[in-house]
Each structure stands twice: as structure tokens, then as C-alpha cells.
Amino acid sequence: MSEKKATVKGTWLERWGFGWATSAERWMPDPFIFAILLVFIIFIMAMAIQGLNPYAVAQCMYKGFWGFLAFAMQMVLILITGYAIAYHPAVHRGIVRMCAWPKNGKQAAMLLVGITTVLMWINWGLGLIFGALFAREMGRQAYFRKMPVHYPMLVGSAYALPLLIWHWGTSASASLLMTVAGHPFETIFGVVPVNLTIFSSYAIGNSVLILVFALVVAYLLHPKPERCRGIEQYTPEAIGEEAKVEKPKWVTVADKLENNRWFAIFMVVIMVGSIVWWFDTKGFMAGLNLDSVNFIFVLVGLALYHNPIAYARVIYRSAAAVGGIILQFPFYAGIQGVMMHSGLGVTIAGWLTRIATPFIWPVVCWFLAGIVNIFIPSGGGEWLTIGQSLGTASVNLGVPIGKTIIAYGAGDAWTNLVNPFWALPILAITGMRVRDMFGYPLTIAVLAIIPFVIGLTFIPY
């Protein structure tokens, strides 16, 4: 009887999240299997809705299969440059110190989510990797301190709650793609500087709302101590690990060249001059795009390590965190090819845009982007697929295009909590399987409907 009572303690939200997490352990497949299932679904939809035969749909898929190569490289660079910064020994020491602050699991979840959400706004690659490292170290330190924490919840919330904000931050792919002259939709709504998207009052207001939401949900969702399962139950090999810093070797001439900090300093100086020239020429708002963000993070990484080979080696180690993304990106590009070349994406967008009014348009745009994102979990790739339909509807309804891009970004971020594609790096770092933790992102995806609908509808642009 006492054991039965222990299983029902806690708030309804704790029980709900715990229940979803338990169900996900039974039903959630590996992300690559999930991608293959989505390919199958999109094939059926294209044949049923667009009236195409299987051979025609296969042609559409091949047309798109390699379409994300340049964009995929930009996304991989965002991840690995963020990984290098987050893995720096000084950053790791800071994480260990912060892990000593919380007194219980709920405080640990709030601290983890709060800091990671802010970093996710700055750069989603940095936030994603930092959140994974923070969750892993929090699990380790909690074990040593005998503080009950639920490791799946820490990992799941470190992924899901900060990710809600990423597409309103300074690495937002849709917003940054629209700052470049000659982008695919320039004839519809022109070039859109980031002061109309990322730095608009609409985006900042919604970002603050999501940050508050994330902190509250992190506190409420963490289970009571009797339900907690620590890191030792999922990745016990992490318990004995200590951060190791490779000391430079000065044995041969080649070693001296590899570890010569003056090479790094020289490169940093050149890169500083390059980025100053870029923003001086373009202006900050127009110059902030995916390429300049990646350039800045390479610059920061080199400056932090001030050792060429040390920086190179941490970049090499990051391959494990992005391997799954490299494998799966072409399959999602293939899905995007079907959506684009079969006309399915335009058809789906047309269904919802026809019922929209200026008042409800942001919510309609958010919902549409969320649905399509399940099949194309790439903010830039999805925008290239349905951006024309959304932009045209925005112009016809008289809604500012910046408001539409922000609403679209909310939808893209929202259903990343349903598709486990972007969870691959955090799984590689934390040692978890997707089924171990993905019940919490699914729970958060449902709860996030509330702040998204309220914020997108009522916060002024």
C-alpha cells in the first residue's frame, strides 16, 4: 500500500509528465527510424492529396535530397562551434560551480533551464550543447551530493524548454536568411532587417514570456524525490569521469607548430579585422546572418583556446554530436523536395491561409509552421518551402512581414519538441536514448500552446 501511495504523490503536472515519459520509453523509436516513417507518410500524402503516382513522388524526393547541403553545413558549423566553446575547460569549471548552487531537484531544473534558455537565444548551437553538458554535470554532481534529481527530466527540459526560444534569437535561420539581398522571396516583401524580426518588440516580448514559462514549468515538472532516477541508472560510466585537459606536447618541430599560440593569435587578429569590415560595410542589422554568426563563433573559439591544435581537436570530437544530423539531413531534404516540387507545401499552406484574418494570422501561421516542421525539422529549409505562401498571405492581409516571420519561427521551434531530430547531439553527450527522455519534450510541447497563443495574439508588434 505504501508503495502505491508513493507512486501518486506530487502535482498533476508532475504525474502527467512522468506518465508521458514512461509511455515514450515504450513507443519512441530511434530518430533515424522516425525520419524514415515521416518519408513514408509524406509519400502517401503527396499521392493522396496531389494525385501523383509513386514514381513521380520519388522524383520529387530526389530533386530535394541534396538540396540542404549548403544549409546543412551552416547548421553543423553552428553546432560544432558552439560545442567547442561549451567544452572549454573554463566553461566546464563554471558549470561545476553552478551545479553546487541548487539545494533540490526543482531548483536544479530551474537553474539549468534558465541559463540554457538565455544561451539558446544567443546561439542555438551553443545553447543546445551547453544544456547537454550542464544536464550531464548536474546529474553527476547530484549523485556525489546525494541530491535526488530525475535525470530524464533534466535532459528533456534542457533540450525542450530552451529550444522554444531559439528561432527568435540571434541565430534564427528564417530571420537571418531574409536579411540577404537576393533571397528567394525578395520580390514579394523585400529584404527584412533584423530590427523588424529578432530585435522587434514583438519578438523580445514573446521571448520574455517564454523564458518565464520555461522557469515555471521546469519547477513544476520535476518529480518528487521518491520518483527520481539519477544519472547512475542511465549512464553509470559518467560517474567516474573527470574533465581531462590535454597538455600541449613540445617534442618535435611539428608539435611546436601545432601548439604555437601565435598562430591562433595571428588568425584571431585577421578574423577580427574581417568581421569589423563586414559590419562596417553592411551595418549590424543587415550584416547579422548565418555566415557572420558562424564566423564570430569560430573567432571566439580560437580566442578562448589560443592554441590551434587544441581547438582543432575539440572540433574533431564534436563529430559524434553531429553525426546523426549529417546522416538524416538529406532525408529531411528529400521530404522538403516532395513538399516543394509536388506542390503539397503550398496546398497545405493554402488550406489555413484562406481562413485567416489579420487578428488570428499569427496563430494560424504558428500552427501551420508547427505542422510542416514535423516533416521538415529545419527552420531555413521549411521557410524555403512555405515562406512564399506565408509571405504572400501576410502581404494580402496587411500583416507586417516581420510579425509573420516571428510567428513562423514560433511554430518551427514548437514542434522540434515532437520530432527528435535536433535531440541527437544532446543524446550523444548525455548518454541517454531518445525513449528515455522524450516524454518530457512531448509534455512541454502541449503546455507551450498556452504562451504561444497568448503571446503571438496579444503582444503588440
Side-chain angles (χ1 to χ4, degrees), residues 32 96 131 157 168 179 189 213 224 243 245 307 312 326 334 356 375 385 395 415:
F32 185 49
V96 172
S157 61
W168 295 335
T179 65
F189 47 75
F213 166 80
K224 296 289 184 181
V245 180
N307 181 306
I326 294 171
F375 298 93
T385 302
V395 171
T415 49

PDB file of all heavy atoms in Angstrom, residues 32 96 131 157 168 179 189 213 224 243 245 307 312 326 334 356 375 385 395 415:
ATOM      1  N   PHE A  32      16.397   8.145 -36.438  1.00  0.00           N
ATOM      2  CA  PHE A  32      16.530   7.795 -37.848  1.00  0.00           C
ATOM      3  C   PHE A  32      15.311   6.994 -38.326  1.00  0.00           C
ATOM      4  O   PHE A  32      14.824   7.179 -39.454  1.00  0.00           O
ATOM      5  CB  PHE A  32      17.813   7.007 -38.081  1.00  0.00           C
ATOM      6  CG  PHE A  32      18.091   6.718 -39.531  1.00  0.00           C
ATOM      7  CD1 PHE A  32      18.035   7.735 -40.475  1.00  0.00           C
ATOM      8  CD2 PHE A  32      18.416   5.439 -39.950  1.00  0.00           C
ATOM      9  CE1 PHE A  32      18.289   7.483 -41.814  1.00  0.00           C
ATOM     10  CE2 PHE A  32      18.670   5.181 -41.285  1.00  0.00           C
ATOM     11  CZ  PHE A  32      18.603   6.196 -42.218  1.00  0.00           C
ATOM     12  N   VAL A  96      30.582  23.306 -13.221  1.00  0.00           N
ATOM     13  CA  VAL A  96      30.717  22.563 -11.955  1.00  0.00           C
ATOM     14  C   VAL A  96      30.362  23.461 -10.769  1.00  0.00           C
ATOM     15  O   VAL A  96      29.663  23.040  -9.837  1.00  0.00           O
ATOM     16  CB  VAL A  96      32.143  22.003 -11.810  1.00  0.00           C
ATOM     17  CG1 VAL A  96      32.345  21.401 -10.419  1.00  0.00           C
ATOM     18  CG2 VAL A  96      32.410  20.952 -12.888  1.00  0.00           C
ATOM     19  N   GLY A 131      23.489  23.089 -22.758  1.00  0.00           N
ATOM     20  CA  GLY A 131      22.424  22.454 -21.985  1.00  0.00           C
ATOM     21  C   GLY A 131      22.698  20.982 -21.748  1.00  0.00           C
ATOM     22  O   GLY A 131      22.452  20.459 -20.654  1.00  0.00           O
ATOM     23  N   SER A 157      14.174  18.579 -20.286  1.00  0.00           N
ATOM     24  CA  SER A 157      13.846  20.002 -20.150  1.00  0.00           C
ATOM     25  C   SER A 157      14.988  20.880 -20.649  1.00  0.00           C
ATOM     26  O   SER A 157      14.755  21.968 -21.189  1.00  0.00           O
ATOM     27  CB  SER A 157      13.526  20.341 -18.694  1.00  0.00           C
ATOM     28  OG  SER A 157      14.630  20.075 -17.846  1.00  0.00           O
ATOM     29  N   TRP A 168      13.779  32.975 -32.244  1.00  0.00           N
ATOM     30  CA  TRP A 168      13.635  34.418 -32.044  1.00  0.00           C
ATOM     31  C   TRP A 168      14.975  35.043 -31.666  1.00  0.00           C
ATOM     32  O   TRP A 168      15.044  36.231 -31.394  1.00  0.00           O
ATOM     33  CB  TRP A 168      12.619  34.709 -30.940  1.00  0.00           C
ATOM     34  CG  TRP A 168      11.232  34.277 -31.268  1.00  0.00           C
ATOM     35  CD1 TRP A 168      10.686  34.120 -32.507  1.00  0.00           C
ATOM     36  CD2 TRP A 168      10.201  33.936 -30.337  1.00  0.00           C
ATOM     37  NE1 TRP A 168       9.382  33.713 -32.412  1.00  0.00           N
ATOM     38  CE2 TRP A 168       9.056  33.592 -31.086  1.00  0.00           C
ATOM     39  CE3 TRP A 168      10.122  33.890 -28.945  1.00  0.00           C
ATOM     40  CZ2 TRP A 168       7.845  33.212 -30.489  1.00  0.00           C
ATOM     41  CZ3 TRP A 168       8.926  33.518 -28.357  1.00  0.00           C
ATOM     42  CH2 TRP A 168       7.803  33.178 -29.126  1.00  0.00           C
ATOM     43  N   THR A 179      17.639  38.670 -44.465  1.00  0.00           N
ATOM     44  CA  THR A 179      18.438  39.902 -44.433  1.00  0.00           C
ATOM     45  C   THR A 179      19.348  40.031 -45.652  1.00  0.00           C
ATOM     46  O   THR A 179      19.966  41.080 -45.855  1.00  0.00           O
ATOM     47  CB  THR A 179      19.327  39.942 -43.170  1.00  0.00           C
ATOM     48  OG1 THR A 179      20.288  38.872 -43.226  1.00  0.00           O
ATOM     49  CG2 THR A 179      18.492  39.796 -41.906  1.00  0.00           C
ATOM     50  N   PHE A 189       8.309  40.594 -50.562  1.00  0.00           N
ATOM     51  CA  PHE A 189       8.314  41.518 -49.422  1.00  0.00           C
ATOM     52  C   PHE A 189       9.660  42.183 -49.178  1.00  0.00           C
ATOM     53  O   PHE A 189       9.846  42.849 -48.166  1.00  0.00           O
ATOM     54  CB  PHE A 189       7.821  40.827 -48.141  1.00  0.00           C
ATOM     55  CG  PHE A 189       8.449  39.483 -47.875  1.00  0.00           C
ATOM     56  CD1 PHE A 189       9.742  39.372 -47.402  1.00  0.00           C
ATOM     57  CD2 PHE A 189       7.731  38.326 -48.097  1.00  0.00           C
ATOM     58  CE1 PHE A 189      10.311  38.135 -47.165  1.00  0.00           C
ATOM     59  CE2 PHE A 189       8.286  37.071 -47.850  1.00  0.00           C
ATOM     60  CZ  PHE A 189       9.582  36.977 -47.381  1.00  0.00           C
ATOM     61  N   PHE A 213       7.786  31.272 -18.722  1.00  0.00           N
ATOM     62  CA  PHE A 213       7.092  29.981 -18.852  1.00  0.00           C
ATOM     63  C   PHE A 213       8.054  28.825 -18.603  1.00  0.00           C
ATOM     64  O   PHE A 213       7.729  27.866 -17.883  1.00  0.00           O
ATOM     65  CB  PHE A 213       6.484  29.888 -20.254  1.00  0.00           C
ATOM     66  CG  PHE A 213       6.041  28.505 -20.653  1.00  0.00           C
ATOM     67  CD1 PHE A 213       4.832  27.993 -20.220  1.00  0.00           C
ATOM     68  CD2 PHE A 213       6.844  27.708 -21.476  1.00  0.00           C
ATOM     69  CE1 PHE A 213       4.427  26.711 -20.598  1.00  0.00           C
ATOM     70  CE2 PHE A 213       6.452  26.439 -21.854  1.00  0.00           C
ATOM     71  CZ  PHE A 213       5.233  25.939 -21.419  1.00  0.00           C
ATOM     72  N   LYS A 224       8.832  14.549  -7.561  1.00  0.00           N
ATOM     73  CA  LYS A 224       9.202  14.460  -6.151  1.00  0.00           C
ATOM     74  C   LYS A 224      10.397  13.507  -5.988  1.00  0.00           C
ATOM     75  O   LYS A 224      10.642  12.646  -6.838  1.00  0.00           O
ATOM     76  CB  LYS A 224       8.017  13.944  -5.329  1.00  0.00           C
ATOM     77  CG  LYS A 224       6.814  14.875  -5.325  1.00  0.00           C
ATOM     78  CD  LYS A 224       7.090  16.124  -4.520  1.00  0.00           C
ATOM     79  CE  LYS A 224       5.824  16.993  -4.439  1.00  0.00           C
ATOM     80  NZ  LYS A 224       6.071  18.228  -3.677  1.00  0.00           N
ATOM     81  N   ALA A 243      36.846  15.798 -15.904  1.00  0.00           N
ATOM     82  CA  ALA A 243      37.261  16.593 -17.065  1.00  0.00           C
ATOM     83  C   ALA A 243      38.769  16.475 -17.255  1.00  0.00           C
ATOM     84  O   ALA A 243      39.539  16.660 -16.314  1.00  0.00           O
ATOM     85  CB  ALA A 243      36.868  18.057 -16.886  1.00  0.00           C
ATOM     86  N   VAL A 245      42.055  17.709 -19.485  1.00  0.00           N
ATOM     87  CA  VAL A 245      42.574  18.712 -20.410  1.00  0.00           C
ATOM     88  C   VAL A 245      43.914  18.221 -20.931  1.00  0.00           C
ATOM     89  O   VAL A 245      44.827  17.939 -20.156  1.00  0.00           O
ATOM     90  CB  VAL A 245      42.751  20.082 -19.713  1.00  0.00           C
ATOM     91  CG1 VAL A 245      43.293  21.100 -20.702  1.00  0.00           C
ATOM     92  CG2 VAL A 245      41.444  20.538 -19.098  1.00  0.00           C
ATOM     93  N   ASN A 307      45.202  28.114 -28.938  1.00  0.00           N
ATOM     94  CA  ASN A 307      46.096  27.006 -29.267  1.00  0.00           C
ATOM     95  C   ASN A 307      45.476  26.296 -30.468  1.00  0.00           C
ATOM     96  O   ASN A 307      44.405  25.696 -30.339  1.00  0.00           O
ATOM     97  CB  ASN A 307      46.222  26.063 -28.076  1.00  0.00           C
ATOM     98  CG  ASN A 307      47.169  24.899 -28.352  1.00  0.00           C
ATOM     99  OD1 ASN A 307      47.006  24.176 -29.325  1.00  0.00           O
ATOM    100  ND2 ASN A 307      48.159  24.710 -27.482  1.00  0.00           N
ATOM    101  N   ALA A 312      41.347  22.568 -32.725  1.00  0.00           N
ATOM    102  CA  ALA A 312      41.029  21.604 -33.782  1.00  0.00           C
ATOM    103  C   ALA A 312      40.546  20.284 -33.188  1.00  0.00           C
ATOM    104  O   ALA A 312      39.585  19.677 -33.679  1.00  0.00           O
ATOM    105  CB  ALA A 312      42.257  21.372 -34.660  1.00  0.00           C
ATOM    106  N   ILE A 326      24.062  14.816 -39.720  1.00  0.00           N
ATOM    107  CA  ILE A 326      24.615  14.714 -41.069  1.00  0.00           C
ATOM    108  C   ILE A 326      23.934  13.588 -41.843  1.00  0.00           C
ATOM    109  O   ILE A 326      23.606  13.722 -43.029  1.00  0.00           O
ATOM    110  CB  ILE A 326      26.135  14.488 -41.001  1.00  0.00           C
ATOM    111  CG1 ILE A 326      26.828  15.732 -40.419  1.00  0.00           C
ATOM    112  CG2 ILE A 326      26.693  14.156 -42.372  1.00  0.00           C
ATOM    113  CD1 ILE A 326      28.287  15.530 -40.112  1.00  0.00           C
ATOM    114  N   GLY A 334      14.917  15.465 -48.641  1.00  0.00           N
ATOM    115  CA  GLY A 334      14.065  14.731 -49.566  1.00  0.00           C
ATOM    116  C   GLY A 334      12.593  14.978 -49.289  1.00  0.00           C
ATOM    117  O   GLY A 334      11.784  15.146 -50.216  1.00  0.00           O
ATOM    118  N   ALA A 356      -7.741  32.712 -42.615  1.00  0.00           N
ATOM    119  CA  ALA A 356      -7.076  33.629 -41.689  1.00  0.00           C
ATOM    120  C   ALA A 356      -7.626  35.047 -41.803  1.00  0.00           C
ATOM    121  O   ALA A 356      -8.080  35.488 -42.865  1.00  0.00           O
ATOM    122  CB  ALA A 356      -5.577  33.634 -41.932  1.00  0.00           C
ATOM    123  N   PHE A 375       7.685  17.446 -40.489  1.00  0.00           N
ATOM    124  CA  PHE A 375       8.214  16.765 -41.660  1.00  0.00           C
ATOM    125  C   PHE A 375       9.519  17.380 -42.157  1.00  0.00           C
ATOM    126  O   PHE A 375      10.313  16.713 -42.818  1.00  0.00           O
ATOM    127  CB  PHE A 375       7.174  16.794 -42.787  1.00  0.00           C
ATOM    128  CG  PHE A 375       5.906  16.074 -42.447  1.00  0.00           C
ATOM    129  CD1 PHE A 375       4.833  16.748 -41.895  1.00  0.00           C
ATOM    130  CD2 PHE A 375       5.790  14.712 -42.643  1.00  0.00           C
ATOM    131  CE1 PHE A 375       3.662  16.088 -41.557  1.00  0.00           C
ATOM    132  CE2 PHE A 375       4.627  14.031 -42.311  1.00  0.00           C
ATOM    133  CZ  PHE A 375       3.566  14.726 -41.765  1.00  0.00           C
ATOM    134  N   THR A 385      10.338  26.290 -48.129  1.00  0.00           N
ATOM    135  CA  THR A 385       9.229  25.523 -48.679  1.00  0.00           C
ATOM    136  C   THR A 385       7.910  26.289 -48.613  1.00  0.00           C
ATOM    137  O   THR A 385       7.145  26.310 -49.578  1.00  0.00           O
ATOM    138  CB  THR A 385       9.083  24.182 -47.931  1.00  0.00           C
ATOM    139  OG1 THR A 385      10.306  23.461 -48.030  1.00  0.00           O
ATOM    140  CG2 THR A 385       7.961  23.334 -48.516  1.00  0.00           C
ATOM    141  N   VAL A 395       1.269  39.733 -46.857  1.00  0.00           N
ATOM    142  CA  VAL A 395       1.110  40.973 -47.628  1.00  0.00           C
ATOM    143  C   VAL A 395      -0.370  41.220 -47.928  1.00  0.00           C
ATOM    144  O   VAL A 395      -0.877  42.344 -47.787  1.00  0.00           O
ATOM    145  CB  VAL A 395       1.933  40.893 -48.928  1.00  0.00           C
ATOM    146  CG1 VAL A 395       1.598  42.073 -49.839  1.00  0.00           C
ATOM    147  CG2 VAL A 395       3.425  40.870 -48.612  1.00  0.00           C
ATOM    148  N   THR A 415       7.347  22.440 -32.649  1.00  0.00           N
ATOM    149  CA  THR A 415       7.280  21.005 -32.926  1.00  0.00           C
ATOM    150  C   THR A 415       8.649  20.352 -33.073  1.00  0.00           C
ATOM    151  O   THR A 415       8.734  19.168 -33.392  1.00  0.00           O
ATOM    152  CB  THR A 415       6.415  20.728 -34.174  1.00  0.00           C
ATOM    153  OG1 THR A 415       6.826  21.572 -35.247  1.00  0.00           O
ATOM    154  CG2 THR A 415       4.948  20.944 -33.867  1.00  0.00           C
TER     155      THR A 415
END
